Amino acid sequence: MIEVDVESLGVRALNERLHRLPRDTNERLWKITNPKGAHALAAGLDRPLSIEIEGHVGYYCGGMNKQAEITINGHAGPGLAENIMSGVVRVKGNASQSAAASGRGGLVVIGGDASSRCGISMKGVDIVVGGSVGHMSAFMAQAGHLVVCGNAGAHLGDSIYEAVIYVGGEVESLGSDCIEKPMTDEHRSKLEQLLASAGLRVQAARFRRFGSARQLYNFKVDHAAQY
Amino acid sequence: MCGIVGLFLKNSALESSLGKHLSAMLSALSDRGPDSAGFAIYRNPAPRGSIKVTLFHPDPDFGWDRLMREMSEEIGTKVRGEARGSHLLLTAAMPVETARHWLAHHRPEVRIMGVGDCIELYKEKGNPKEVVRRFGLEELAGSHALGHTRMATESAVTTQHSHPFSTGLDLCLVHNGSLSNHNRMRRWLSRHGIEFQTDNDTEVAAGYFTHLLGEGATLKEALKSGISDLDGFYTFAIGTKDGFAVVRDPIACKPAVLAETDDWVAMASEYRAIAHLPGADQSRIWEPSPATVYSWQKH
Amino acid sequence: MPRSTKAKPTAPATAANPAGRREHASFPPVVIAEIQRAAREGIYDIRGLGAKRRLPSFDDLIFLGASISRYPLEGYREKCATNVTIGARFAKKPIELKIPITIAGMSFGSLSANAKEALGRAASEMGTSTTTGDGGMTQEERRASKILVYQVLPSRYGHDPDHMRSCEAIEVVVGQGAKPGGGGMLLGLKVTERVAGMRTLPVGIDQRSACRHPDWTGPDDLEIKIAELREVTDWEKPIYVKVGATRVKYDVALAVKAGADAVVVDGMQGGTGATQDVFIEHVGIPTLPAVRQAAEALQELDMHRKVQLIVSGGIRNGADVAKALALGADAVSIGTAALMALNCNAPLFLEDYAKLGTAPGYCHHCQTGRCPVGVTTQDPELEARLDPELAAHRVRNYLATMVLEAQTLARACGKSHLHNLEPEDLAALTIEAAAMAKVPLAGTDWIPGRGGA
């Protein structure tokens, strides 16, 4: 386990060091202390590392992550794991807005609440939120899964494409072209798999599924009001 | 575009380090606001019958002593002052209107930054770390304070355009974001008696709240009205004599973090600015919901 | 005697109006046709290219060549250098361009693969850059282009950190001249399997767009985003910020404050593959005033030449290049003109233009995906009409011609480097151009708004 105090080393030097590790490195376990809300911590990684961050992080922690497993023992600022390609980013506390924005793969787990725009523009990432999500979550969500154990704020899944949303609690309102869909065995099984990968002991039974009505796929004048 | 911060002390034992903490908060947000900085600090309530006025003049050799002497002689009551950088904190034993009238008549070139029982308002062009040093913020004690670091979006970088903007007695406003209907709003408010010094959007918001409060609205009511009347993107923090309030627009794209312990409540655009406060690691951290007024008062 | 009911001509007959009928300036035939199209279809008109209406432009400026007080340089022998360095402000590896003309961002999806390849080859031969577009980078484009600028757009379609790291620069797109405040658009016919795969969309749907970035809004948060992009790429690459020309002075200043290495300003003549006609024609300011405002913003921050200014939007020839540089740009970018060098609007396959209801010289139908010359199509049969090698040769020739033209004008003004062109080398032919470019009306000292006679 390599321990780094990022307050003294600096984000830039730490990121460079992590980027430069050889592809078959043995230095896989890292502990980062004193993040104190720093931005772009562990951004752009492309190694099978296991990183624990002790404290709260700022914007874009784990941005564009590939392969690495990052755990934040604290809260995260906006854009957590934005455009994640693969690997896992976990935050024990809350995440600010635009968590996993445009994520294309991998898994993002938020133990507490995610703020507004969770999963905005998602393109294949799986997101599991132990708490609730704020308004405009899964806005223009193209692919992947968003699991919300708590409640979802207003305009959930506005302008959604093919992403699938599961919500355990209440939904304040649904966005344009987002509708509730029946839960089949296939969906329940996928949901259980996602909850398990997030390490959450939650019953799948109470969840509801939401997805695209696909009415906006080709412009029709009768749907103009939805734009 | 900018950074905003607020710190409200629940534990009076921390009052002597208010300035030190606010100073560090502003420095932490100087990347997102490099052009100018300002703060309003609530401290040293004026004696009964007196009023505190923060004045500004850009000339470092401005005759503040002469100003105070003349004012005191003409009104016939005590006037004392404490210089801080290019600003002077005047404490005058007279009603607020008397002070305003005298200054408008005899020193129209002096800018009034803030007026009230407790408020002191300092702001200037320059990098926040530098501005904070010039005003000696670190040594100031008080009960609560708001601050702002500015990256000018649509109006000039001058002292007058910096935040906080004072909206009335012991009231001030800082803003992160960009309003979109402030020009017409400014013209309407002008017709209703509000005077503007700049073309800045935040000044319009400040004027809007002043107008509503002047018409008898409570702070909460004024902020709620603002949510529908003011268009654009914003996180507002408003300082009052007894505390402060925070509100975000319904779309809520601009950031806002709140943190609370038994000793303090803090607000900032980025967690970085809160991170160093005593007990920050264990504080309750959350984000204000859109279109919702949050407020804290002394009891 | 009954009065004749036959309408009498009320104006002299002309070739365009042989019966001498009275025209309606507010409702000419083209406006009537559009109203009736809207009544039929219930949707705004969507098309490609940029603003078609007449605007104050570089055509309204001329150069003050050598005279008794200024001496020209001899062509060929006496050098007129054309190189430009972009991104020395923060990047470890600034970009060296041999010519101050780059190829602007245009998406694969909007353009065919052959078109992207041809542009890349031509740019490489001329020592300049191309730019990816809304939809991500293709391997063909990376192979063809020696210097590739990677766009980061609101949609983040196909955004890939490995692709970004493989490119030479990054361009954060806030907006473009055709639609400042609007997002990308691609209609169903062009969302083929390959395009859909890159963008993670279902095949054949009309792509909807975000107009804001998903994870930041405003220059203060842009500053943090730019820092993240630098972290992901270990501070190697210059980062450009691109805006459509609206509040240019504020935007350029803010881009500088947010940490950009270069600013790209795209005037309203800037083109697009598809967007609402109403957006193209009624939002944004022309390139002419945009250049001057951008240069002034940089000068006021003492950042002129330290943060590079790249200007686009209706750049067509070497005269436009030289004028943009004289007004303060470090380089220009071409989009529409590059497509025309490829064959856009060339008089070939006339029946296919007719099928679209248009003709060479009038076509703006990129959004249909039925480009008769294979440039803005995903249809393999149409795409085959564009031979990448021959097309690359055409674009290379065109770029070389523009550079020679610019050098000719610069030498005539006594400049040994294109960058030494300055506003005082210009005069204006119209009052609007004089006001917009802040250049005196020819034969006078007058710049409207600045006084003098």
PDB file of all heavy atoms in Angstrom, chain B residues 7-15 18 142-144 242 244 259-266 283-284 286 295-299:
ATOM      1  N   LEU B   7     -20.058  32.421   6.107  1.00  0.00           N
ATOM      2  CA  LEU B   7     -19.728  31.727   7.359  1.00  0.00           C
ATOM      3  C   LEU B   7     -20.513  32.354   8.495  1.00  0.00           C
ATOM      4  O   LEU B   7     -20.430  33.567   8.719  1.00  0.00           O
ATOM      5  CB  LEU B   7     -18.223  31.802   7.625  1.00  0.00           C
ATOM      6  CG  LEU B   7     -17.693  31.037   8.833  1.00  0.00           C
ATOM      7  CD1 LEU B   7     -18.029  29.544   8.745  1.00  0.00           C
ATOM      8  CD2 LEU B   7     -16.183  31.226   8.971  1.00  0.00           C
ATOM      9  N   PHE B   8     -21.295  31.526   9.172  1.00  0.00           N
ATOM     10  CA  PHE B   8     -22.149  31.986  10.260  1.00  0.00           C
ATOM     11  C   PHE B   8     -21.735  31.204  11.510  1.00  0.00           C
ATOM     12  O   PHE B   8     -21.771  29.972  11.514  1.00  0.00           O
ATOM     13  CB  PHE B   8     -23.612  31.715   9.876  1.00  0.00           C
ATOM     14  CG  PHE B   8     -24.605  31.968  10.957  1.00  0.00           C
ATOM     15  CD1 PHE B   8     -25.068  33.256  11.191  1.00  0.00           C
ATOM     16  CD2 PHE B   8     -25.111  30.929  11.726  1.00  0.00           C
ATOM     17  CE1 PHE B   8     -26.012  33.499  12.182  1.00  0.00           C
ATOM     18  CE2 PHE B   8     -26.055  31.158  12.717  1.00  0.00           C
ATOM     19  CZ  PHE B   8     -26.506  32.447  12.950  1.00  0.00           C
ATOM     20  N   LEU B   9     -21.331  31.920  12.549  1.00  0.00           N
ATOM     21  CA  LEU B   9     -20.828  31.238  13.738  1.00  0.00           C
ATOM     22  C   LEU B   9     -21.945  31.013  14.751  1.00  0.00           C
ATOM     23  O   LEU B   9     -22.612  31.956  15.179  1.00  0.00           O
ATOM     24  CB  LEU B   9     -19.703  32.073  14.369  1.00  0.00           C
ATOM     25  CG  LEU B   9     -18.496  32.304  13.460  1.00  0.00           C
ATOM     26  CD1 LEU B   9     -17.499  33.247  14.115  1.00  0.00           C
ATOM     27  CD2 LEU B   9     -17.820  30.982  13.097  1.00  0.00           C
ATOM     28  N   LYS B  10     -22.125  29.757  15.128  1.00  0.00           N
ATOM     29  CA  LYS B  10     -23.116  29.448  16.158  1.00  0.00           C
ATOM     30  C   LYS B  10     -22.448  29.529  17.536  1.00  0.00           C
ATOM     31  O   LYS B  10     -23.093  29.784  18.544  1.00  0.00           O
ATOM     32  CB  LYS B  10     -23.644  28.024  15.963  1.00  0.00           C
ATOM     33  CG  LYS B  10     -24.484  27.874  14.693  1.00  0.00           C
ATOM     34  CD  LYS B  10     -24.387  26.455  14.146  1.00  0.00           C
ATOM     35  CE  LYS B  10     -25.660  25.676  14.335  1.00  0.00           C
ATOM     36  NZ  LYS B  10     -25.565  24.329  13.792  1.00  0.00           N
ATOM     37  N   ASN B  11     -21.144  29.294  17.552  1.00  0.00           N
ATOM     38  CA  ASN B  11     -20.380  29.303  18.796  1.00  0.00           C
ATOM     39  C   ASN B  11     -19.566  30.594  18.849  1.00  0.00           C
ATOM     40  O   ASN B  11     -18.634  30.781  18.070  1.00  0.00           O
ATOM     41  CB  ASN B  11     -19.459  28.075  18.817  1.00  0.00           C
ATOM     42  CG  ASN B  11     -18.626  28.001  20.077  1.00  0.00           C
ATOM     43  OD1 ASN B  11     -18.560  28.950  20.868  1.00  0.00           O
ATOM     44  ND2 ASN B  11     -17.966  26.863  20.269  1.00  0.00           N
ATOM     45  N   SER B  12     -19.920  31.478  19.802  1.00  0.00           N
ATOM     46  CA  SER B  12     -19.276  32.799  19.835  1.00  0.00           C
ATOM     47  C   SER B  12     -17.797  32.723  20.187  1.00  0.00           C
ATOM     48  O   SER B  12     -17.051  33.670  19.980  1.00  0.00           O
ATOM     49  CB  SER B  12     -20.010  33.735  20.804  1.00  0.00           C
ATOM     50  OG  SER B  12     -20.156  33.084  22.045  1.00  0.00           O
ATOM     51  N   ALA B  13     -17.347  31.588  20.704  1.00  0.00           N
ATOM     52  CA  ALA B  13     -15.910  31.445  21.006  1.00  0.00           C
ATOM     53  C   ALA B  13     -15.061  31.546  19.746  1.00  0.00           C
ATOM     54  O   ALA B  13     -13.868  31.852  19.814  1.00  0.00           O
ATOM     55  CB  ALA B  13     -15.665  30.104  21.695  1.00  0.00           C
ATOM     56  N   LEU B  14     -15.670  31.302  18.590  1.00  0.00           N
ATOM     57  CA  LEU B  14     -14.916  31.343  17.340  1.00  0.00           C
ATOM     58  C   LEU B  14     -14.876  32.727  16.706  1.00  0.00           C
ATOM     59  O   LEU B  14     -14.225  32.930  15.690  1.00  0.00           O
ATOM     60  CB  LEU B  14     -15.532  30.362  16.325  1.00  0.00           C
ATOM     61  CG  LEU B  14     -15.427  28.884  16.672  1.00  0.00           C
ATOM     62  CD1 LEU B  14     -16.209  28.041  15.677  1.00  0.00           C
ATOM     63  CD2 LEU B  14     -13.976  28.445  16.680  1.00  0.00           C
ATOM     64  N   GLU B  15     -15.568  33.700  17.332  1.00  0.00           N
ATOM     65  CA  GLU B  15     -15.716  35.003  16.671  1.00  0.00           C
ATOM     66  C   GLU B  15     -14.382  35.685  16.390  1.00  0.00           C
ATOM     67  O   GLU B  15     -14.245  36.391  15.394  1.00  0.00           O
ATOM     68  CB  GLU B  15     -16.630  35.916  17.498  1.00  0.00           C
ATOM     69  CG  GLU B  15     -18.080  35.481  17.396  1.00  0.00           C
ATOM     70  CD  GLU B  15     -19.065  36.470  17.999  1.00  0.00           C
ATOM     71  OE1 GLU B  15     -18.628  37.559  18.435  1.00  0.00           O
ATOM     72  OE2 GLU B  15     -20.257  36.147  18.012  1.00  0.00           O
ATOM     73  N   LEU B  18     -13.053  34.684  12.955  1.00  0.00           N
ATOM     74  CA  LEU B  18     -13.931  34.759  11.778  1.00  0.00           C
ATOM     75  C   LEU B  18     -13.175  35.254  10.550  1.00  0.00           C
ATOM     76  O   LEU B  18     -13.240  34.662   9.471  1.00  0.00           O
ATOM     77  CB  LEU B  18     -15.127  35.686  12.052  1.00  0.00           C
ATOM     78  CG  LEU B  18     -16.078  35.898  10.861  1.00  0.00           C
ATOM     79  CD1 LEU B  18     -16.837  34.622  10.525  1.00  0.00           C
ATOM     80  CD2 LEU B  18     -17.065  37.025  11.139  1.00  0.00           C
ATOM     81  N   GLY B 142     -15.905  38.785  14.300  1.00  0.00           N
ATOM     82  CA  GLY B 142     -17.299  39.124  14.039  1.00  0.00           C
ATOM     83  C   GLY B 142     -18.165  37.892  14.200  1.00  0.00           C
ATOM     84  O   GLY B 142     -17.676  36.803  14.517  1.00  0.00           O
ATOM     85  N   SER B 143     -19.466  38.061  13.958  1.00  0.00           N
ATOM     86  CA  SER B 143     -20.387  36.943  14.183  1.00  0.00           C
ATOM     87  C   SER B 143     -20.670  36.164  12.897  1.00  0.00           C
ATOM     88  O   SER B 143     -20.893  34.961  12.926  1.00  0.00           O
ATOM     89  CB  SER B 143     -21.711  37.462  14.735  1.00  0.00           C
ATOM     90  OG  SER B 143     -22.250  38.430  13.822  1.00  0.00           O
ATOM     91  N   HIS B 144     -20.684  36.869  11.764  1.00  0.00           N
ATOM     92  CA  HIS B 144     -20.901  36.179  10.492  1.00  0.00           C
ATOM     93  C   HIS B 144     -20.388  37.059   9.364  1.00  0.00           C
ATOM     94  O   HIS B 144     -20.194  38.270   9.542  1.00  0.00           O
ATOM     95  CB  HIS B 144     -22.372  35.784  10.284  1.00  0.00           C
ATOM     96  CG  HIS B 144     -23.380  36.897  10.392  1.00  0.00           C
ATOM     97  ND1 HIS B 144     -23.624  37.563  11.572  1.00  0.00           N
ATOM     98  CD2 HIS B 144     -24.208  37.442   9.477  1.00  0.00           C
ATOM     99  CE1 HIS B 144     -24.567  38.459  11.368  1.00  0.00           C
ATOM    100  NE2 HIS B 144     -24.943  38.418  10.108  1.00  0.00           N
ATOM    101  N   ASP B 242     -28.787  39.538  11.382  1.00  0.00           N
ATOM    102  CA  ASP B 242     -28.768  38.400  12.296  1.00  0.00           C
ATOM    103  C   ASP B 242     -28.283  37.098  11.688  1.00  0.00           C
ATOM    104  O   ASP B 242     -28.164  36.105  12.402  1.00  0.00           O
ATOM    105  CB  ASP B 242     -30.200  38.143  12.819  1.00  0.00           C
ATOM    106  CG  ASP B 242     -30.729  39.356  13.550  1.00  0.00           C
ATOM    107  OD1 ASP B 242     -29.959  39.920  14.335  1.00  0.00           O
ATOM    108  OD2 ASP B 242     -31.888  39.729  13.320  1.00  0.00           O
ATOM    109  N   PHE B 244     -27.809  34.746   7.642  1.00  0.00           N
ATOM    110  CA  PHE B 244     -27.733  34.787   6.186  1.00  0.00           C
ATOM    111  C   PHE B 244     -28.679  33.785   5.554  1.00  0.00           C
ATOM    112  O   PHE B 244     -29.228  32.914   6.234  1.00  0.00           O
ATOM    113  CB  PHE B 244     -26.291  34.610   5.692  1.00  0.00           C
ATOM    114  CG  PHE B 244     -25.756  33.194   5.641  1.00  0.00           C
ATOM    115  CD1 PHE B 244     -25.464  32.596   4.413  1.00  0.00           C
ATOM    116  CD2 PHE B 244     -25.502  32.474   6.793  1.00  0.00           C
ATOM    117  CE1 PHE B 244     -24.936  31.310   4.357  1.00  0.00           C
ATOM    118  CE2 PHE B 244     -24.986  31.195   6.734  1.00  0.00           C
ATOM    119  CZ  PHE B 244     -24.697  30.607   5.512  1.00  0.00           C
ATOM    120  N   ALA B 259     -22.382  23.331   4.654  1.00  0.00           N
ATOM    121  CA  ALA B 259     -21.820  22.440   5.667  1.00  0.00           C
ATOM    122  C   ALA B 259     -22.184  22.995   7.035  1.00  0.00           C
ATOM    123  O   ALA B 259     -22.246  24.213   7.224  1.00  0.00           O
ATOM    124  CB  ALA B 259     -20.309  22.349   5.514  1.00  0.00           C
ATOM    125  N   GLU B 260     -22.421  22.098   7.982  1.00  0.00           N
ATOM    126  CA  GLU B 260     -22.847  22.548   9.322  1.00  0.00           C
ATOM    127  C   GLU B 260     -22.257  21.670  10.405  1.00  0.00           C
ATOM    128  O   GLU B 260     -22.184  20.442  10.265  1.00  0.00           O
ATOM    129  CB  GLU B 260     -24.376  22.510   9.405  1.00  0.00           C
ATOM    130  CG  GLU B 260     -24.927  23.068  10.707  1.00  0.00           C
ATOM    131  CD  GLU B 260     -26.433  23.332  10.667  1.00  0.00           C
ATOM    132  OE1 GLU B 260     -27.089  22.899   9.693  1.00  0.00           O
ATOM    133  OE2 GLU B 260     -26.951  23.959  11.604  1.00  0.00           O
ATOM    134  N   THR B 261     -21.789  22.323  11.460  1.00  0.00           N
ATOM    135  CA  THR B 261     -21.384  21.620  12.682  1.00  0.00           C
ATOM    136  C   THR B 261     -22.115  22.295  13.831  1.00  0.00           C
ATOM    137  O   THR B 261     -22.900  23.232  13.612  1.00  0.00           O
ATOM    138  CB  THR B 261     -19.868  21.737  12.945  1.00  0.00           C
ATOM    139  OG1 THR B 261     -19.557  23.097  13.243  1.00  0.00           O
ATOM    140  CG2 THR B 261     -19.061  21.282  11.745  1.00  0.00           C
ATOM    141  N   ASP B 262     -21.830  21.884  15.056  1.00  0.00           N
ATOM    142  CA  ASP B 262     -22.427  22.560  16.216  1.00  0.00           C
ATOM    143  C   ASP B 262     -21.910  23.982  16.347  1.00  0.00           C
ATOM    144  O   ASP B 262     -22.550  24.814  16.966  1.00  0.00           O
ATOM    145  CB  ASP B 262     -22.095  21.793  17.507  1.00  0.00           C
ATOM    146  CG  ASP B 262     -22.848  20.484  17.574  1.00  0.00           C
ATOM    147  OD1 ASP B 262     -23.903  20.375  16.905  1.00  0.00           O
ATOM    148  OD2 ASP B 262     -22.381  19.561  18.280  1.00  0.00           O
ATOM    149  N   ASP B 263     -20.743  24.238  15.730  1.00  0.00           N
ATOM    150  CA  ASP B 263     -20.105  25.545  15.918  1.00  0.00           C
ATOM    151  C   ASP B 263     -20.372  26.539  14.803  1.00  0.00           C
ATOM    152  O   ASP B 263     -20.269  27.741  15.017  1.00  0.00           O
ATOM    153  CB  ASP B 263     -18.584  25.368  16.032  1.00  0.00           C
ATOM    154  CG  ASP B 263     -18.189  24.636  17.301  1.00  0.00           C
ATOM    155  OD1 ASP B 263     -18.957  24.725  18.291  1.00  0.00           O
ATOM    156  OD2 ASP B 263     -17.125  23.994  17.307  1.00  0.00           O
ATOM    157  N   TRP B 264     -20.667  26.069  13.612  1.00  0.00           N
ATOM    158  CA  TRP B 264     -20.827  26.995  12.476  1.00  0.00           C
ATOM    159  C   TRP B 264     -21.657  26.396  11.357  1.00  0.00           C
ATOM    160  O   TRP B 264     -21.857  25.197  11.282  1.00  0.00           O
ATOM    161  CB  TRP B 264     -19.464  27.420  11.921  1.00  0.00           C
ATOM    162  CG  TRP B 264     -18.480  26.317  11.677  1.00  0.00           C
ATOM    163  CD1 TRP B 264     -17.450  25.962  12.498  1.00  0.00           C
ATOM    164  CD2 TRP B 264     -18.415  25.421  10.554  1.00  0.00           C
ATOM    165  NE1 TRP B 264     -16.742  24.911  11.958  1.00  0.00           N
ATOM    166  CE2 TRP B 264     -17.313  24.550  10.760  1.00  0.00           C
ATOM    167  CE3 TRP B 264     -19.185  25.256   9.397  1.00  0.00           C
ATOM    168  CZ2 TRP B 264     -16.962  23.556   9.851  1.00  0.00           C
ATOM    169  CZ3 TRP B 264     -18.841  24.264   8.492  1.00  0.00           C
ATOM    170  CH2 TRP B 264     -17.734  23.417   8.733  1.00  0.00           C
ATOM    171  N   VAL B 265     -22.134  27.318  10.486  1.00  0.00           N
ATOM    172  CA  VAL B 265     -22.739  26.934   9.209  1.00  0.00           C
ATOM    173  C   VAL B 265     -21.933  27.647   8.128  1.00  0.00           C
ATOM    174  O   VAL B 265     -21.668  28.845   8.241  1.00  0.00           O
ATOM    175  CB  VAL B 265     -24.208  27.408   9.082  1.00  0.00           C
ATOM    176  CG1 VAL B 265     -24.789  26.974   7.740  1.00  0.00           C
ATOM    177  CG2 VAL B 265     -25.046  26.877  10.229  1.00  0.00           C
ATOM    178  N   ALA B 266     -21.543  26.912   7.096  1.00  0.00           N
ATOM    179  CA  ALA B 266     -20.754  27.531   6.023  1.00  0.00           C
ATOM    180  C   ALA B 266     -21.392  27.230   4.681  1.00  0.00           C
ATOM    181  O   ALA B 266     -22.038  26.197   4.497  1.00  0.00           O
ATOM    182  CB  ALA B 266     -19.329  27.006   6.044  1.00  0.00           C
ATOM    183  N   SER B 283     -18.333  17.467   9.451  1.00  0.00           N
ATOM    184  CA  SER B 283     -19.544  18.278   9.346  1.00  0.00           C
ATOM    185  C   SER B 283     -20.599  17.574   8.506  1.00  0.00           C
ATOM    186  O   SER B 283     -20.305  16.661   7.732  1.00  0.00           O
ATOM    187  CB  SER B 283     -19.207  19.621   8.685  1.00  0.00           C
ATOM    188  OG  SER B 283     -18.713  19.413   7.378  1.00  0.00           O
ATOM    189  N   ARG B 284     -21.825  18.010   8.679  1.00  0.00           N
ATOM    190  CA  ARG B 284     -22.897  17.547   7.804  1.00  0.00           C
ATOM    191  C   ARG B 284     -22.782  18.364   6.529  1.00  0.00           C
ATOM    192  O   ARG B 284     -22.798  19.595   6.562  1.00  0.00           O
ATOM    193  CB  ARG B 284     -24.254  17.800   8.477  1.00  0.00           C
ATOM    194  CG  ARG B 284     -25.414  17.417   7.592  1.00  0.00           C
ATOM    195  CD  ARG B 284     -26.747  17.763   8.229  1.00  0.00           C
ATOM    196  NE  ARG B 284     -27.747  17.890   7.177  1.00  0.00           N
ATOM    197  CZ  ARG B 284     -28.584  18.906   7.008  1.00  0.00           C
ATOM    198  NH1 ARG B 284     -28.572  19.924   7.859  1.00  0.00           N
ATOM    199  NH2 ARG B 284     -29.443  18.931   6.019  1.00  0.00           N
ATOM    200  N   TRP B 286     -24.215  19.087   2.649  1.00  0.00           N
ATOM    201  CA  TRP B 286     -25.305  18.836   1.703  1.00  0.00           C
ATOM    202  C   TRP B 286     -25.406  19.974   0.700  1.00  0.00           C
ATOM    203  O   TRP B 286     -24.731  20.981   0.839  1.00  0.00           O
ATOM    204  CB  TRP B 286     -26.634  18.628   2.443  1.00  0.00           C
ATOM    205  CG  TRP B 286     -27.348  19.857   2.925  1.00  0.00           C
ATOM    206  CD1 TRP B 286     -28.453  20.415   2.387  1.00  0.00           C
ATOM    207  CD2 TRP B 286     -27.018  20.682   4.057  1.00  0.00           C
ATOM    208  NE1 TRP B 286     -28.837  21.528   3.101  1.00  0.00           N
ATOM    209  CE2 TRP B 286     -27.974  21.714   4.133  1.00  0.00           C
ATOM    210  CE3 TRP B 286     -26.001  20.642   5.027  1.00  0.00           C
ATOM    211  CZ2 TRP B 286     -27.965  22.693   5.129  1.00  0.00           C
ATOM    212  CZ3 TRP B 286     -25.981  21.616   6.010  1.00  0.00           C
ATOM    213  CH2 TRP B 286     -26.956  22.631   6.055  1.00  0.00           C
ATOM    214  N   SER B 295     -32.242  29.580   5.422  1.00  0.00           N
ATOM    215  CA  SER B 295     -31.746  30.731   6.190  1.00  0.00           C
ATOM    216  C   SER B 295     -31.394  30.352   7.612  1.00  0.00           C
ATOM    217  O   SER B 295     -31.900  29.363   8.150  1.00  0.00           O
ATOM    218  CB  SER B 295     -32.792  31.855   6.184  1.00  0.00           C
ATOM    219  OG  SER B 295     -33.968  31.416   6.797  1.00  0.00           O
ATOM    220  N   TRP B 296     -30.474  31.121   8.180  1.00  0.00           N
ATOM    221  CA  TRP B 296     -30.009  30.921   9.545  1.00  0.00           C
ATOM    222  C   TRP B 296     -29.999  32.273  10.253  1.00  0.00           C
ATOM    223  O   TRP B 296     -29.560  33.271   9.671  1.00  0.00           O
ATOM    224  CB  TRP B 296     -28.585  30.353   9.561  1.00  0.00           C
ATOM    225  CG  TRP B 296     -28.523  28.968   9.005  1.00  0.00           C
ATOM    226  CD1 TRP B 296     -28.611  27.806   9.695  1.00  0.00           C
ATOM    227  CD2 TRP B 296     -28.389  28.614   7.634  1.00  0.00           C
ATOM    228  NE1 TRP B 296     -28.536  26.741   8.846  1.00  0.00           N
ATOM    229  CE2 TRP B 296     -28.401  27.191   7.577  1.00  0.00           C
ATOM    230  CE3 TRP B 296     -28.268  29.335   6.441  1.00  0.00           C
ATOM    231  CZ2 TRP B 296     -28.298  26.483   6.383  1.00  0.00           C
ATOM    232  CZ3 TRP B 296     -28.158  28.643   5.248  1.00  0.00           C
ATOM    233  CH2 TRP B 296     -28.173  27.230   5.229  1.00  0.00           C
ATOM    234  N   GLN B 297     -30.477  32.291  11.499  1.00  0.00           N
ATOM    235  CA  GLN B 297     -30.476  33.535  12.296  1.00  0.00           C
ATOM    236  C   GLN B 297     -29.889  33.284  13.668  1.00  0.00           C
ATOM    237  O   GLN B 297     -30.006  32.178  14.199  1.00  0.00           O
ATOM    238  CB  GLN B 297     -31.905  34.043  12.555  1.00  0.00           C
ATOM    239  CG  GLN B 297     -32.529  34.797  11.410  1.00  0.00           C
ATOM    240  CD  GLN B 297     -33.253  33.844  10.472  1.00  0.00           C
ATOM    241  OE1 GLN B 297     -32.972  33.807   9.286  1.00  0.00           O
ATOM    242  NE2 GLN B 297     -34.155  33.064  11.021  1.00  0.00           N
ATOM    243  N   LYS B 298     -29.372  34.376  14.256  1.00  0.00           N
ATOM    244  CA  LYS B 298     -29.024  34.337  15.671  1.00  0.00           C
ATOM    245  C   LYS B 298     -30.317  34.434  16.476  1.00  0.00           C
ATOM    246  O   LYS B 298     -31.257  35.094  16.072  1.00  0.00           O
ATOM    247  CB  LYS B 298     -28.170  35.570  16.033  1.00  0.00           C
ATOM    248  CG  LYS B 298     -26.773  35.485  15.505  1.00  0.00           C
ATOM    249  CD  LYS B 298     -25.959  36.629  16.067  1.00  0.00           C
ATOM    250  CE  LYS B 298     -24.480  36.429  15.891  1.00  0.00           C
ATOM    251  NZ  LYS B 298     -24.022  35.078  16.233  1.00  0.00           N
ATOM    252  N   HIS B 299     -30.296  33.777  17.646  1.00  0.00           N
ATOM    253  CA  HIS B 299     -31.497  33.875  18.475  1.00  0.00           C
ATOM    254  C   HIS B 299     -31.250  34.669  19.739  1.00  0.00           C
ATOM    255  O   HIS B 299     -30.133  34.773  20.180  1.00  0.00           O
ATOM    256  CB  HIS B 299     -31.993  32.475  18.840  1.00  0.00           C
ATOM    257  CG  HIS B 299     -32.368  31.709  17.604  1.00  0.00           C
ATOM    258  ND1 HIS B 299     -33.408  32.079  16.813  1.00  0.00           N
ATOM    259  CD2 HIS B 299     -31.818  30.627  17.013  1.00  0.00           C
ATOM    260  CE1 HIS B 299     -33.497  31.235  15.785  1.00  0.00           C
ATOM    261  NE2 HIS B 299     -32.544  30.341  15.892  1.00  0.00           N
TER     262      HIS B 299
END
